[in-house]
Amino acid sequence: MTSSLTRLGSANTYDNALRNLSMRQSALSNLQENLTSGKKVVRASDDPTGAAQAERAMTRISRIATDQRALESQRNSIAMAEGTLGDVTDALQNFRELVVSAGNGVLSPAERKSIAIQLQGLRDQVFSLANRKDSNGQPLFSALGSALAPFVGPNAPPQDYAFNGLPGQSASSEVAIPFTLDGDSAFMLQTNRDGVYNVSLGSSTTNLKTGPATLNPPTAATGASYSISFTSVTAAAGNTTASYDIIDSGSGVPVATGTKTYSTGQSFTVTEMPGLSLTITGTPAVADTVKVESSPSLFSVLDDAISNIGSASSNATASQAVSQALGNIDIGMSRVSAVRGQAGDLLNRADRITSNQEARSIQLEADRSRAEDLDMVKGISDFQNQQTGYQAALQSYAQVQKLSLFNYIS
């Protein structure tokens, strides 16, 4: 009878156990690293697709942060410009109140000159505010681009003040608003749009009063200044017939002549000035004059009010100066208020942009988190499972080490 003997080698079992132990130790180390960092993608090699998605999300988040820093700077500049226009409105309101007080019939010419000095201080304040700069030294009202001082003047008439830049308002984008406002629209006046004219009486004219010059039609107005001089006045049967010459004040060239018959003491309308009509009330005398001068800017309106009130020698000329100044100041204030409203719209848009950017940041952060962040519950569970497997591998390795023939030879 033959006996067969079988010899079992332990080397292969030992190598398998050692290889398994090394793999489990490496996996346990990786899981521990993931738990420590809180990320399932620690290196790009862990998940190339997830790493790329996370990188794109981080790039977009960084871009949003940059856009928001620029937007905050723009918001601060527009907020400062809006506040400056508020200061301009307050100064104009104070100017208006002083103009009203100058119309008091009990004031003497010297007292009106004193008021004119106060008005000059307010006018200088408005001009300074129009050239105010932001914290970076850039003009708040530079429109599409201007010199460091957008408004210059007074210069030679008729354009006694000028906007030293490119008028217009730059547009907002999806993530930004302009840095500046259109100062030309706020402080400069246009003939066909605003129709601001200062109507003043000659120093010897006492029996006349006029309303404001009105556009008729606006497209025909040229912005020129005119002088109306009465050459003949006759009265008969309760009616007055007045003849006058109209001269272009800038060139000295006669423009037209006119004759009007109206009820004595009532009013008549001068329509011979291109694009303008003017209602005159009272009975003129020969050599009486009425000047109709265009005002190309808000500063011109203020200067005209100061000059006319300060030089008024009678209550009639003072009343005329006050009525003209009040109407023109109101037009100028409406332009300032309109641009201030645009500033408010820009600030509201900045708030909406910020809200949208915050929502996008939250969405992108969620995308990044899904791509690379670790589910902590799952991570801890996997770590514990891997740790149990590693301990089992250690115990198997210990048992394999005992499988030696020498342990059974006594």
Side-chain angles (χ1 to χ4, degrees):
M1 182 175 181
T2 325
S3 298
S4 71
L5 301 174
T6 302
R7 181 173 180 267
L8 298 176
S10 61
N12 184 55
T13 304
Y14 174 82
D15 289 342
N16 288 337
L18 190 60
R19 188 182 306 109
N20 185 33
L21 182 63
S22 176
M23 292 175 56
R24 289 184 178 277
Q25 185 179 22
S26 176
L28 184 64
S29 176
N30 290 336
L31 284 173
Q32 189 170 18
E33 187 177 11
N34 291 341
L35 284 173
T36 302
S37 63
K39 299 181 182 298
K40 63 182 178 183
V41 181
V42 179
R43 291 169 291 276
S45 58
D46 296 340
D47 182 359
T49 301
Q53 291 175 346
E55 185 65 26
R56 283 195 297 269
M58 289 299 297
T59 300
R60 291 168 182 166
I61 290 173
S62 177
R63 186 183 305 159
I64 287 174
T66 301
D67 291 339
Q68 280 299 106
R69 285 195 296 271
L71 179 64
E72 193 61 30
S73 177
Q74 295 158 357
R75 188 207 306 269
N76 291 339
S77 294
I78 295 299
M80 186 175 181
E82 191 274 337
T84 299
L85 291 178
D87 294 338
V88 170
T89 300
D90 291 340
L92 291 176
Q93 187 61 41
N94 292 335
F95 192 101
R96 195 180 191 283
E97 292 173 359
L98 283 174
V99 168
V100 171
S101 68
N104 193 330
V106 302
L107 295 180
S108 65
E111 290 171 327
R112 283 192 285 267
K113 288 181 180 179
S114 178
I115 292 176
I117 293 174
Q118 298 179 58
L119 294 175
Q120 181 66 39
L122 290 172
R123 174 259 172 214
D124 293 341
Q125 179 182 350
V126 171
F127 189 74
S128 176
L129 290 171
N131 283 321
R132 177 177 283 182
K133 299 177 177 62
D134 63 13
S135 58
N136 295 319
Q138 299 300 314
L140 295 173
F141 304 103
S142 62
L144 297 179
S146 72
L148 289 180
F151 299 96
V152 292
N155 302 316
Q159 190 69 20
D160 50 356
Y161 290 88
F163 179 71
N164 191 14
L166 183 62
Q169 180 66 63
S170 56
S172 301
S173 69
E174 184 181 359
V175 296
I177 62 175
F179 276 97
T180 63
L181 295 177
D182 184 6
D184 181 82
S185 180
F187 298 99
M188 304 302 292
L189 304 173
Q190 298 179 11
T191 300
N192 297 333
R193 181 192 66 191
D194 305 304
V196 178
Y197 286 83
N198 180 63
V199 184
S200 59
L201 304 177
S203 58
S204 60
T205 303
T206 59
N207 295 323
L208 294 181
K209 184 177 181 180
T210 76
T214 58
L215 298 175
N216 182 32
T219 54
T222 63
S225 298
Y226 304 97
S227 176
I228 303 173
S229 180
F230 289 92
T231 57
S232 172
V233 179
T234 58
N239 291 328
T240 298
T241 300
S243 299
Y244 49 84
D245 294 334
I246 300 177
I247 300 173
D248 188 315
S249 299
S251 62
V253 176
V255 175
T257 60
T259 300
K260 291 291 187 293
T261 300
Y262 62 100
S263 298
T264 301
Q266 299 302 308
S267 62
F268 63 95
T269 302
V270 176
T271 57
E272 288 79 9
M273 295 178 290
L276 295 176
S277 62
L278 178 67
T279 299
I280 300 177
T281 303
T283 303
V286 175
D288 280 354
T289 58
V290 177
K291 293 182 179 180
V292 182
E293 300 170 311
S294 63
S295 296
S297 70
L298 176 60
F299 315 115
S300 309
V301 169
L302 304 183
D303 283 349
D304 288 340
I306 294 169
S307 175
N308 293 341
I309 291 174
S311 62
S313 57
S314 65
N315 288 337
T317 53
S319 176
Q320 175 72 16
V322 168
S323 65
Q324 292 296 312
L326 291 178
N328 292 339
I329 289 172
D330 288 344
I331 294 175
M333 289 179 69
S334 69
R335 296 305 312 162
V336 172
S337 297
V339 176
R340 190 180 183 188
Q342 294 175 7
D345 290 338
L346 290 176
L347 292 175
N348 290 336
R349 180 172 179 80
D351 291 338
R352 291 193 296 270
I353 291 173
T354 297
S355 178
N356 292 337
Q357 293 287 60
E358 288 176 352
R360 289 183 61 194
S361 294
I362 293 173
Q363 179 184 358
L364 290 171
E365 184 63 32
D367 293 342
R368 183 206 60 78
S369 178
R370 283 192 297 268
E372 71 173 2
D373 283 354
L374 178 67
D375 184 345
M376 296 303 291
V377 174
K378 183 177 182 298
I380 293 173
S381 176
D382 291 344
F383 178 78
Q384 290 176 343
N385 290 338
Q386 193 67 37
Q387 190 175 40
T388 301
Y390 179 63
Q391 290 173 352
L394 282 176
Q395 292 174 359
S396 298
Y397 176 69
Q399 293 299 323
V400 169
Q401 277 188 321
K402 295 178 182 180
L403 297 177
S404 173
L405 183 60
F406 294 104
N407 293 332
Y408 299 94
I409 298 176
S410 58

